[in-house]
Amino acid sequence: MKTIITGDRPTGKMHLGHYFGSIQNRVKMQYDYDTYILIADVQALTDNFDNPEKVRNSVRELALDYLASGIDPKHSHIYIQSLIPEVAELTVYFSNLVTVSRLYRNPTTKHEAGQKKDKFGESGETITYGFLGYPVSQAADITALDGDVVPVGEDQVPHIEQTREIARKFNSIYGETFKEPEAVLSETPRIKGLDGNEKMGKSLGNAIYLADNEAEITKKVMSAVTDPSKIKKDDPANPDICMVYYYHKLLKNENLDTVCSECNAGSRGCVACKKELIKVMLEFLEPIQERRKYYEEHPEEVEKILKEGTEAARARAKEVMQRVRKNMKLDYFE
Ligand code: TRP
């Protein structure tokens, strides 16, 4: 069986963008792969080193979101990154194999640096060594557990590419040690926001969280962007430029054809259409929220899942690191 290594930073609640971008794919794949899902608390600290409270609380929230979404602890190991010291060790060895200019060229970190209003490579005002180097630690996350495939959102592809480069370089210097993992993207690697933005994101203010209640969903859906040429309730409109229709489609509304034809014909008002979407969305979220509630009420189960997942991941990393130390001639007393 091939191995999946993937995960997310614990920095807040998960939204539909995460769900369709990567989580749904992991849920589907977990039955056919040896699956390890990491809660990347060390990586979260690269941005939040001065807010350990936030990272700590988000670890639990992320575990709940995973379990709620259908990550099944019988098929997947969920583990905490900081509890695998072998990964930190491997990160140090890898850091020799990556040039600083290569790190500056990573488009994802470049974009994130831009959000911090730092001109990447020109000023070191806010960009720390840890932030610049997090793709190296991500490469260690994946290779320390011998990962084959990495189901992630599209923003992570540059990191997996860098992981492959590092693995290749390591192998060429120290002998065949690592596989080159592959990124796997979902059918919908990026979903649009109800506001028409190309992307859903917390910082964009258009996120629909998996844990949102009816009042929150209603507020968000009612303010969705529709075909601007439709002024009156019975004006015909074009569903292809309507975000409400986009979500009917995304959430697989069974009446999709009716939604489309009524919208085209002008026999469907936007308010009614939004109300139908609220219903579809709540139905979609119901099983997710039910599972979340169960695990919220059973924190001891969540703790056990994380503990066992972490033990399994650590056992694997220990084995891989023996191989690494041997190949690097660091196996002094063995
Ligand atoms: N960079 C990922 C994110 O921002 C989290 C992550 C850390 C990750 N290590 C990983 C993803 C290893 C896949 C594989 O969410």
Side-chain angles (χ1 to χ4, degrees), residues 5-9 38 40 43 138 141-142 150 152 156 159:
I5 312 290
T6 189
D8 297 277
R9 299 174 180 202
L38 77 144
Q43 196 177 107
Q138 185 154 338
D141 288 331
I142 298 166
V150 192
V152 277
Q156 298 298 302
H159 298 338

Side-chain angles (χ1 to χ4, degrees), residues 232-249:
K232 293 194 292 334
K233 185 165 136 239
D234 46 7
D235 284 342
N238 177 6
D240 291 335
I241 55 171
C242 171
M243 296 321 297
V244 178
Y245 181 70
Y246 174 88
Y247 272 79
H248 277 300
K249 202 157 58 178

Side-chain angles (χ1 to χ4, degrees), residues 5-11 14 18 26 36 38-41 43-44 62 66 79 81 108 112 134 137-142 149-153 155-156 159-160 163:
I5 312 290
T6 189
D8 297 277
R9 299 174 180 202
T11 51
M14 297 246 125
H18 298 118
R26 299 169 184 172
Y36 291 83
L38 77 144
I39 298 184
D41 57 344
Q43 196 177 107
L62 183 52
Y66 282 152
Y79 70 101
Q81 186 189 27
T108 295
E112 289 166 349
Y134 87 72
S137 112
Q138 185 154 338
D141 288 331
I142 298 166
V149 283
V150 192
V152 277
D155 59 325
Q156 298 298 302
H159 298 338
I160 313 308
T163 301

Side-chain angles (χ1 to χ4, degrees), residues 8-284:
D8 297 277
R9 299 174 180 202
T11 51
K13 289 180 292 178
M14 297 246 125
H15 52 63
L16 287 178
H18 298 118
Y19 184 85
F20 286 102
S22 58
I23 299 181
Q24 190 186 40
N25 223 12
R26 299 169 184 172
V27 170
K28 269 192 233 150
M29 292 172 80
Q30 66 184 334
Y31 306 102
D32 303 319
Y33 291 83
D34 205 0
T35 302
Y36 291 83
I37 303 186
L38 77 144
I39 298 184
D41 57 344
V42 177
Q43 196 177 107
L45 284 167
T46 60
D47 262 347
N48 299 279
F49 56 87
D50 52 355
N51 199 353
E53 233 11 79
K54 174 178 156 193
V55 175
R56 174 65 181 249
N57 294 335
S58 303
V59 169
R60 183 174 166 273
E61 288 302 316
L62 183 52
L64 287 171
D65 276 331
Y66 282 152
L67 294 165
S69 303
I71 298 293
D72 180 347
K74 289 197 196 71
H75 291 274
S76 296
H77 306 283
I78 305 176
Y79 70 101
I80 299 177
Q81 186 189 27
S82 62
L83 296 179
I84 318 291
E86 288 75 15
V87 167
E89 181 189 348
L90 187 57
T91 303
V92 175
Y93 302 152
F94 279 176
S95 66
N96 294 325
L97 308 180
V98 186
T99 64
V100 173
S101 67
R102 175 64 180 90
L103 289 168
Y104 279 133
R105 281 199 307 273
N106 181 310
T108 295
T109 31
K110 207 183 223 173
H111 176 74
E112 289 166 349
Q115 289 175 330
K116 292 179 206 291
K117 306 211 178 354
D118 195 318
K119 280 198 192 138
F120 220 9
E122 288 175 27
S123 122
E125 295 294 329
T126 57
I127 298 302
T128 63
Y129 163 51
F131 171 81
L132 183 65
Y134 87 72
V136 181
S137 112
Q138 185 154 338
D141 288 331
I142 298 166
T143 53
L145 269 68
D146 271 337
D148 295 291
V149 283
V150 192
V152 277
E154 58 174 357
D155 59 325
Q156 298 298 302
V157 174
H159 298 338
I160 313 308
E161 189 47 47
Q162 237 181 323
T163 301
R164 295 164 64 88
E165 283 175 33
I166 292 170
R168 223 175 292 149
K169 179 107 192 216
F170 190 103
N171 291 347
S172 76
I173 299 171
Y174 305 108
E176 198 59 31
T177 311
F178 295 116
K179 315 178 201 183
E180 286 182 38
E182 257 174 69
V184 176
L185 292 182
S186 73
E187 280 163 46
T188 43
R190 169 185 291 192
I191 67 163
K192 295 181 188 164
L194 276 169
D195 57 354
N197 197 304
E198 280 305 311
K199 208 181 149 190
M200 175 178 283
K202 181 166 55 179
S203 57
L204 298 168
N206 61 3
I208 293 172
Y209 294 99
L210 299 179
D212 270 354
N213 62 27
E214 183 168 353
E216 285 155 336
I217 299 281
T218 302
K219 196 166 130 232
K220 291 173 187 177
V221 173
M222 290 318 277
S223 63
V225 171
T226 54
D227 179 351
S229 72
K230 182 168 164 113
I231 315 276
K232 293 194 292 334
K233 185 165 136 239
D234 46 7
D235 284 342
N238 177 6
D240 291 335
I241 55 171
C242 171
M243 296 321 297
V244 178
Y245 181 70
Y246 174 88
Y247 272 79
H248 277 300
K249 202 157 58 178
L250 181 72
L251 299 173
K252 302 201 164 39
N253 182 348
E254 289 168 8
N255 303 321
L256 193 66
D257 292 344
T258 315
V259 175
C260 184
S261 56
E262 287 182 356
C263 178
N264 273 323
S267 59
R268 161 178 286 256
C270 290
V271 171
C273 192
K274 287 175 175 175
K275 285 195 173 144
E276 184 174 331
L277 178 62
I278 292 166
K279 201 171 133 266
V280 169
M281 201 175 275
L282 289 172
E283 275 169 18
F284 174 83

